[in-house]
Amino acid sequence: MSSIPVTWFEIGSDRPDEVQRFYAELFDWTFEEQGGPQGSYRQTTAGGERGIGGAIRGIDGTEPNYAIFYAEVPDVAESCRRAEAAGGKVLLPPRTTPSGLTLAHLLDPSGNRIGLFTPPPAG
């Protein structure tokens, strides 16, 4: 198996305007509202050619604020099985979005949240 790249990050916040302003002032990141079925989703190319893309997701306060990185894997379900065998826990089981992207959230053995995803099929 080759090394798995980290290719996306997400910051969940119940104060997305404030968080967007913070990262814009700190790193000069710009954001574009994408919206979606779950509300505000503001994407950034954070770092241009040298950095990875990411977004701020507006949340309603029913879950804690968070920051998470996503590793792009060939098979989300298999990676979840491997994570559990390595001592992790599946927090959000694999699910596929209407666009075909498959994702899951895990907790590592010390409780840090990480994400896995497989992009939609090309076509």
Side-chain angles (χ1 to χ4, degrees), residues 15-98:
R15 299 187 318 254
D17 292 335
E18 185 178 334
V19 171
Q20 177 176 324
R21 193 169 34 258
F22 172 80
Y23 286 104
E25 290 177 13
L26 181 63
F27 298 134
D28 290 328
W29 292 353
T30 58
F31 295 85
E32 182 179 328
E33 177 63 59
Q34 300 295 311
Q38 296 178 334
S40 177
Y41 202 74
R42 305 159 189 214
Q43 290 188 10
T44 181
T45 55
E49 293 177 17
R50 292 185 23 207
I52 63 172
I56 296 170
R57 182 170 74 90
I59 57 177
D60 63 8
T62 59
E63 63 180 295
N65 292 328
Y66 65 88
I68 187 171
F69 67 85
Y70 283 85
E72 185 176 333
V73 298
D75 184 328
V76 171
E78 174 60 24
S79 294
C80 285
R81 287 188 286 278
R82 291 173 52 117
E84 288 179 321
K89 178 180 177 186
V90 175
L91 186 62
L92 172 70
R95 67 181 177 103
T96 302
T97 67

Side-chain angles (χ1 to χ4, degrees), residues 6 8-12 41 52-55 57 65-71 91-92 103-107 112-116:
V6 173
W8 192 257
F9 69 88
E10 182 177 275
I11 299 165
Y41 202 74
I52 63 172
R57 182 170 74 90
N65 292 328
Y66 65 88
I68 187 171
F69 67 85
Y70 283 85
L91 186 62
L92 172 70
L103 66 107
H105 288 182
L106 309 173
L107 290 177
N112 294 304
R113 189 170 175 170
I114 61 170
L116 307 172

